[in-house]
Amino acid sequence: MNPAKTEVGSRRPPIGGSVAFLLLNLPVGIAGFVFLVTTLSVGVSTAIIWVGVPVLALAVLATRGAARLERARIYALLDNYIALPYRSLPEGDQKQRWKARLKDSATWKDMTYFLLLFPIGVAQFCIVLTTWATALGLAALPFYYRYLPEGAYYFPSWEVRWFTVDSVPSSLPWAALGVLLLGVSAVLSRGLASAHARFATLLLGPAPRQLREDSFPGTPAMTSVAG
């Protein structure tokens, strides 16, 4: 059994890495989605006059390269190892190598990952930003309520004043709630990051049947392999 095949796995991601990773998913997802939609639409629409062929080739190579960077980002921030799933390219001319790339299911799984990363990244960004901002805002309320307009904090809004925080004692229950929400935010962020790591392993990693094949090289995720 190739040792590289048995190294694929995941650990509990760190909280800081989880928050950073989930927030970065939005800009990474937007960039990947815009690039793929643009290059694929232009390439397919102009392929009949051969102009789209190099555009489509660029989309394939760039996506496979971006997938390598994504595996490295997951490894660095989430401590989750994902082996490269690509099958070795055959020796020979570029035509045979391109056929191998296009027949490799990993190529299309890479594209699927980046297309899905955009909506997933939007949801993750909103959840993480909302929970952490709310928790930090409440936890720090005893320190800044006096600097708010009228020197007080009103819940749920300035117009609807069900509760008023205008002193340290009145702010302490809210601060305690904020500390509780900080713990909830940490658990939630780590859970979202772990779920994303499993999702990424499914699309960016080798299929289980590949790991069972003796011919599969099990290339480590951090090595350089020709795309």
Side-chain angles (χ1 to χ4, degrees), residues 121-177:
V122 171
Q124 292 173 339
F125 184 89
C126 293
I127 293 172
V128 171
L129 188 64
T130 300
T131 54
W132 280 99
T134 302
L136 290 172
L138 291 176
L141 192 58
F143 303 99
Y144 71 83
Y145 74 88
R146 60 181 59 86
Y147 303 110
L148 297 174
E150 300 183 17
Y153 171 79
Y154 302 103
F155 181 85
S157 66
W158 297 104
E159 293 76 18
V160 183
R161 301 180 178 185
W162 293 351
F163 301 98
T164 300
V165 176
D166 55 3
S167 64
V168 173
S170 63
S171 68
L172 292 180
W174 296 98
L177 178 60

Side-chain angles (χ1 to χ4, degrees), residues 61-219:
L61 292 178
T63 301
R64 285 165 67 108
R68 288 184 174 84
L69 294 178
E70 185 67 4
R71 293 182 192 93
R73 185 171 74 101
I74 292 171
Y75 184 79
L77 295 178
L78 303 185
D79 198 21
N80 185 84
Y81 178 93
I82 303 178
L84 291 178
Y86 310 116
R87 297 187 179 278
S88 301
L89 297 179
E91 298 294 337
D93 58 16
Q94 286 297 320
K95 182 177 180 180
Q96 296 300 321
R97 295 171 70 86
W98 271 105
K99 284 184 178 180
R101 289 189 185 98
L102 297 178
K103 288 181 179 180
D104 192 348
S105 61
T107 298
W108 309 108
K109 288 167 68 177
D110 287 349
M111 289 188 177
T112 301
Y113 175 85
F114 283 107
L115 290 174
L116 294 177
L117 185 59
F118 172 51
I120 291 174
V122 171
Q124 292 173 339
F125 184 89
C126 293
I127 293 172
V128 171
L129 188 64
T130 300
T131 54
W132 280 99
T134 302
L136 290 172
L138 291 176
L141 192 58
F143 303 99
Y144 71 83
Y145 74 88
R146 60 181 59 86
Y147 303 110
L148 297 174
E150 300 183 17
Y153 171 79
Y154 302 103
F155 181 85
S157 66
W158 297 104
E159 293 76 18
V160 183
R161 301 180 178 185
W162 293 351
F163 301 98
T164 300
V165 176
D166 55 3
S167 64
V168 173
S170 63
S171 68
L172 292 180
W174 296 98
L177 178 60
V179 172
L180 176 62
L181 288 178
L182 284 174
V184 173
S185 300
V187 173
L188 180 60
S189 297
R190 178 174 278 177
L192 288 174
S194 296
H196 191 103
R198 291 191 292 271
F199 163 72
T201 301
L202 179 65
L203 288 182
L204 298 181
R209 60 178 177 80
Q210 286 181 288
L211 296 176
R212 293 192 296 267
E213 295 176 2
D214 293 335
S215 60
F216 180 66
T219 312

